[in-house]
Amino acid sequence: MADTIIATAPTPGAESTKAPLPSDSVIVVLGASGDLAKKKTYPALFGLYRYGLLPSNIRIVGYARTHMSPEEYHSRISGYIKTPDDATKDLLAKFLALTTYVCGKYDVDADFQALDKHICEVEGDAPNGRHRLFYMALPPTVFTPVAQQLKRNCYPEQGTARVIIEKPFGHDLASSRELQASLRPIWAEKEIFRIDHYLGKEMVKNILILRFGNEFFGASWNKNHVSSVQITFKEKFGTEGRGGYFDTFGIIRDVMQNHLLQVLTMIAMERPVSFSAEDIRDEKVRVLRAIPVIDPKNVIIGQYDKSLDGTKPGYLDDATVPAGSRCPTFAAIVLYIKNDRWDGVPFILKAGKALDSAKVDVRVQFKDVTSGIFQNIPRNEFVLRIQPDESVYLKMNTKLPGLTMKTSVSELDLTYTRRFSDLHIPEAYEALILDAINGDHSNFVRDDELDASWKIFTPLLHYLDENEDIVPAKYPYGSRGPAFLDDFLASYGFKRDQTGQYQWPTTKANGKI
Ligand code: BG6
């Protein structure tokens, strides 16, 4: 089936805010020997290079504390890059030839001066100015010193400087403000690109198009028709060796205050005036400001225990987890939005590790149809599957075919692998790095947006941190979560698969789901 390509005229204003980096720019990856750089940053840079999307004379410089020869550096950064055929192997060799490495500490002026010297050598005379994109793939403890060092020693006097930073942006409102305040005097907001990689995911980017490009959604997307909205994040694996890091954050800080709240914001925001970054982010901030702080009575937390068959360890069995930790590995949190569109509609965020399946989706459950001619007819649900198996489907009632007036639940189904031939869904990091290269802030978190999101979560997080008598409910590794989850959801009016028979996806096409 041919793909449908719709050319949309750029919204006035949208393009004017973008400023693509010139062809001879340099990308500097700070923390080049770390996990994030190896697993995400370099594979994404290679992905963009492969599709010809990096500036044509781009050079890439890695910087980290580890001593590495050029060969060791190249072998480390290509560890997660797949080369299925000779052509890709050749491309990788060309890509590696563009990237060099400098070893240095994160708080030593002389080391950053050496980095600057190296970048200048790579740039040559640079008659058109020096244009540098700094990617900080670093732990939060060194964000501020590195940002200061870069400004002091590597900031181009003429040209462009941009800096990409990654979460965690603090652990509560006060620490987030402290971090922003330490960056503000050195880097202008327009130079900072705060990554929340969920904003780079194809289906999250699709939300604006689905909502505002389809009239029928506009008509029903409100408190008059929607009963509840659930945003669910499930992972099948536990912390397994990463418990030390995870334990200081917990599931709420790790994925809910950022990734899931971002998805909620896109689902709930009003139509932006244009697709320009500031118009989009203004609407996101407006909806976040309409969300009151979370009431602890609208929250449940859990922690995984051994699997029922005893083969998978409990969270507390992880040697990297402190004994007796109360850290939640599961949470369900209900938020409300106090505006005309959503007042009274529960937005339920659910996230957990070591669950029965791996998926991220948004489920908008509509209200019951008027009773009378129907008894217990199931509700409509609009489901946006963010991952895996990207799809959008609408569960609806239809007449069971044949000599009967019985109803059956079916769906309008847009499964990407079936609908789009030669499907290539870019990695979130590819999309976001390309946006930063193009100077487009739409899919990055603005400072006031970050502030508004921490305001919603901070009282709850402090309440959980400080009250030692609040202990997460245990759930077996590989289960759906704590046993009372369904009752909790039902208490917010959610009706779960009333027929007990509905299954999705129902058919297979070409061996694909
Ligand atoms: C990260 C969290 O931000 O997101 C991880 O720190 C989580 O704990 C990950 O596993 C999930 O990202 P994705 O893209 O795999 O859904």
Side-chain angles (χ1 to χ4, degrees):
M1 192 182 298
D3 294 357
T4 311
I5 309 290
I6 301 174
T8 47
T11 315
E15 295 301 313
S16 61
T17 58
K18 295 183 188 170
L21 288 178
S23 58
D24 50 357
S25 300
V26 176
I27 297 177
V28 184
V29 181
L30 290 305
S33 61
D35 247 26
L36 178 65
K38 180 172 66 177
K39 292 184 179 160
K40 300 290 183 190
T41 318
Y42 282 103
L45 287 170
F46 177 65
L48 292 173
Y49 176 74
R50 192 169 48 169
Y51 289 103
L53 294 171
L54 290 181
S56 55
N57 290 323
I58 193 79
R59 298 292 300 268
I60 299 166
V61 176
Y63 182 87
R65 286 175 299 199
T66 315
H67 288 279
M68 286 188 280
S69 66
E71 294 71 32
E72 284 167 334
Y73 167 64
H74 284 170
S75 137
R76 186 180 287 232
I77 64 172
S78 45
Y80 277 74
I81 295 176
K82 294 192 184 81
T83 45
D85 47 44
D86 286 346
T88 321
K89 280 193 188 96
D90 287 350
L91 268 180
L92 177 59
K94 289 187 183 134
F95 172 77
L96 291 176
L98 299 175
T99 171
T100 47
Y101 179 69
V102 176
C103 168
K105 298 210 165 53
Y106 292 134
D107 53 359
V108 175
D109 280 287
D111 290 356
F112 278 86
Q113 284 152 10
L115 172 63
D116 185 57
K117 188 164 171 271
H118 178 82
I119 304 172
C120 287
E121 279 161 19
V122 162
E123 288 167 338
D125 291 344
N128 302 320
R130 303 182 184 277
H131 306 280
R132 300 175 178 178
L133 173 63
F134 299 102
Y135 190 119
M136 304 224 280
L138 293 167
T141 43
V142 295
F143 274 177
T144 307
V146 171
Q148 286 164 343
Q149 286 290 348
L150 290 174
K151 186 65 192 272
R152 198 155 59 229
N153 294 309
C154 305
Y155 193 89
E157 271 168 29
Q158 284 191 340
T160 323
R162 291 182 186 153
V163 59
I164 299 181
I165 55 175
E166 286 265 346
K167 82 172 180 67
F169 307 122
H171 53 88
D172 61 7
L173 181 61
S175 53
S176 163
R177 283 187 172 167
E178 212 175 291
L179 176 66
Q180 300 322 313
S182 71
L183 293 177
R184 208 165 282 132
I186 29 183
W187 291 87
E189 181 64 21
K190 69 175 184 353
E191 295 174 323
I192 300 177
F193 291 76
R194 288 180 204 85
I195 283 201
D196 181 312
H197 78 281
Y198 267 57
L199 290 176
K201 290 189 187 270
E202 182 68 18
M203 296 308 273
V204 176
K205 292 169 79 170
N206 194 4
I207 296 174
L208 282 187
I209 312 288
L210 286 173
R211 283 195 54 204
F212 300 116
N214 292 299
E215 181 59 17
F216 64 88
F217 278 128
S220 58
W221 208 254
N222 56 50
K223 66 185 178 195
N224 299 327
H225 300 283
V226 172
S227 169
S228 67
V229 178
Q230 272 186 72
I231 303 172
T232 305
F233 168 101
K234 286 178 153 203
E235 279 182 347
K236 276 177 106 162
F237 48 86
T239 53
E240 276 105 329
R242 231 180 118 232
Y245 159 81
F246 185 83
D247 201 77
T248 56
F249 288 89
I251 196 79
I252 302 175
R253 289 183 173 95
D254 191 39
V255 299
M256 299 176 98
Q257 175 270 339
N258 35 58
H259 305 331
L260 300 198
L261 189 65
Q262 283 292 339
V263 174
L264 180 152
T265 311
M266 306 295 285
I267 291 287
M269 67 188 261
E270 296 299 320
R271 173 187 290 264
V273 176
S274 79
F275 274 137
S276 80
E278 298 325 322
D279 282 341
I280 292 174
R281 299 193 299 179
D282 284 349
E283 291 305 336
K284 289 173 72 187
V285 173
R286 211 185 305 275
V287 76
L288 287 173
R289 290 179 54 209
I291 303 178
V293 298
I294 299 160
D295 184 339
K297 77 173 189 328
N298 291 327
V299 177
I300 57 175
I301 55 170
Q303 188 184 78
Y304 69 86
D305 207 351
K306 278 192 190 345
S307 58
L308 289 176
D309 64 5
T311 56
K312 294 285 188 183
Y315 179 69
L316 296 179
D317 299 328
D318 183 337
T320 57
V321 168
S325 165
R326 293 186 298 114
C327 174
T329 60
F330 178 96
I333 296 179
V334 182
L335 295 94
Y336 290 94
I337 303 175
K338 297 288 174 193
N339 65 14
D340 275 354
R341 183 187 289 274
W342 295 117
D343 194 21
V345 178
F347 280 75
I348 306 167
L349 306 186
K350 269 186 318 172
K353 298 218 172 241
L355 294 176
D356 59 333
S357 64
K359 67 167 185 178
V360 179
D361 68 19
V362 179
R363 185 171 300 264
V364 178
Q365 187 171 78
F366 288 87
K367 293 189 170 176
D368 288 323
V369 292
T370 307
S371 63
I373 54 173
F374 299 113
Q375 283 167 1
N376 299 327
I377 192 162
R379 289 175 165 182
N380 292 142
E381 279 182 2
F382 167 76
V383 182
L384 177 85
R385 173 72 82 103
I386 294 173
Q387 66 188 39
D389 309 325
E390 289 81 354
S391 48
V392 178
Y393 60 97
L394 179 65
K395 279 168 69 174
M396 52 177 261
N397 297 299
T398 182
K399 177 181 169 303
L400 196 62
L403 300 172
T404 153
M405 278 301 278
K406 284 190 179 149
T407 66
S408 165
V409 182
S410 184
E411 67 283 306
L412 296 178
D413 171 8
L414 164 57
T415 295
Y416 273 38
T417 46
R418 270 202 293 262
R419 182 61 183 82
F420 299 110
S421 52
D422 299 328
L423 181 72
H424 169 70
I425 295 190
E427 285 295 320
Y429 279 88
E430 291 174 357
L432 292 174
I433 293 174
L434 187 60
D435 282 348
I437 288 172
N438 285 331
D440 181 354
H441 272 94
S442 321
N443 295 311
F444 294 86
V445 183
R446 203 167 66 185
D447 52 356
D448 54 344
E449 192 180 346
L450 185 60
D451 210 70
S453 68
W454 276 120
K455 272 189 190 154
I456 299 167
F457 277 84
T458 296
L460 170 71
L461 290 163
H462 286 176
Y463 177 80
L464 295 176
D465 290 345
E466 287 155 17
N467 285 287
E468 296 200 351
D469 51 330
I470 302 176
V471 178
K474 295 284 181 191
Y475 60 92
Y477 196 122
S479 67
R480 290 184 54 242
F484 46 79
L485 173 64
D486 285 340
D487 289 344
F488 176 80
L489 298 178
S491 72
Y492 293 92
F494 178 69
K495 295 190 180 172
R496 182 166 184 264
D497 189 16
Q498 294 127 288
T499 61
Q501 286 163 1
Y502 181 80
Q503 281 223 325
W504 184 91
T506 49
T507 53
K508 293 187 180 235
N510 306 325
K512 298 169 177 169
I513 65 109

